Amino acid sequence: MRVAGKIAVVSGAAGGIGKAIADRLAAEGATVFAADQVWTEAGSTGGIRTRSLDVARIESWESLAAEVADAGGADILVNNAGTVRNYDGIVDIDLDDYHDIIGINQHGTFYGMRALIPQMRRKGAGSVVNISSIWGHVGAAGVAAYTASKGAVTSMTKNAALTYAADGVRVNSVHPGLIATPMIAAQDDSISQGLIDVTPLGRIGRPEEVANAVLFLASDEASFITGAQLMVDGGFTTG
Ligand code: NAP
């Protein structure tokens, strides 16, 4: 029960990495608000409260934050919702796609922190874990909007870590490599195989392996860790 008694919010929690994180936090004793655009109304599954959230809209975050405040206020926020849609470079990318990806990955993370960090400051404690990517740490060709958004997530994490350290709020980023989720199932197999070929551990990761890293950073076991970038990438960024 490593996060017993804590209230956690996880975005993009209907599937993939977000679902694994929500399940792991709940199994370790947290009250979990699992939020996703997939859900149109409030529900509950296995003790987890499922809520509708469009991370790209601040009003949507504010409405969720009000409910979380009524439940006692957030101790843990995991900004996980994300999207990647094409492999275009800067001069080719469709501008609507660009704004959409920046809106979800970058603005969504910003809005999540803006809506919920005040509750942590009032408590004098809290842990934010932002899901960036290996592409928010090293360069990648194509994926112009995705790399821009994940680079911003990495930078915002450090900004928030420094800004709110005095309030007892820790802010860290987790950087998955290739992880077996619906996002990856939708992409061309040759892209995934190319990444596996240059991953030292020689395989794709599991959502639970990312969830374990998030659980650690979210828990009091990481009490002296803030502003860190934790790679969960099979060694991809080591070389
Ligand atoms: P996923 O399987 O596509 O799951 C993402 C979830 O977020 C989906 O349920 C999705 O709903 C939801 N979502 C998308 N836009 C949203 C919005 N505007 N508001 C609320 N929810 C929204 O993706 P994943 O692979 O688990 O990725 C989770 C995170 O890890 C993302 O930030 C991703 O960039 C990052 N990541 C993943 C990998 C990887 O290899 N899988 C690697 C590095 C980083 P829909 O299904 O309706 O879109």
Side-chain angles (χ1 to χ4, degrees), residues 9 14 38 55 142 180 207 239:
V9 176
V38 167
V55 295

Side-chain angles (χ1 to χ4, degrees), residues 11-21 35-39 51-57 60-61 79-85 100 103-105 108-109 130-136 146 149-150 153 174-187 192 195 204-205 207 210 232:
S11 72
I17 292 169
K19 180 175 187 315
I21 294 168
D36 201 294
Q37 66 179 3
V38 167
W39 293 308
R51 296 294 183 268
S52 177
L53 173 72
D54 178 356
V55 295
R57 291 179 47 243
S60 188
W61 274 110
N79 280 308
N80 165 79
T83 190
V84 61
R85 237 162 298 160
D100 224 25
I104 293 169
N105 297 358
T109 300
N130 292 325
I131 306 300
S132 180
S133 167
I134 48 175
W135 304 142
Y146 190 77
S149 68
K150 292 300 186 177
V153 169
V174 165
H175 300 249
L178 186 73
I179 308 294
T181 68
M183 177 186 277
I184 296 310
Q187 82 180 9
S192 298
L195 277 170
I204 194 167
V210 181
V232 185

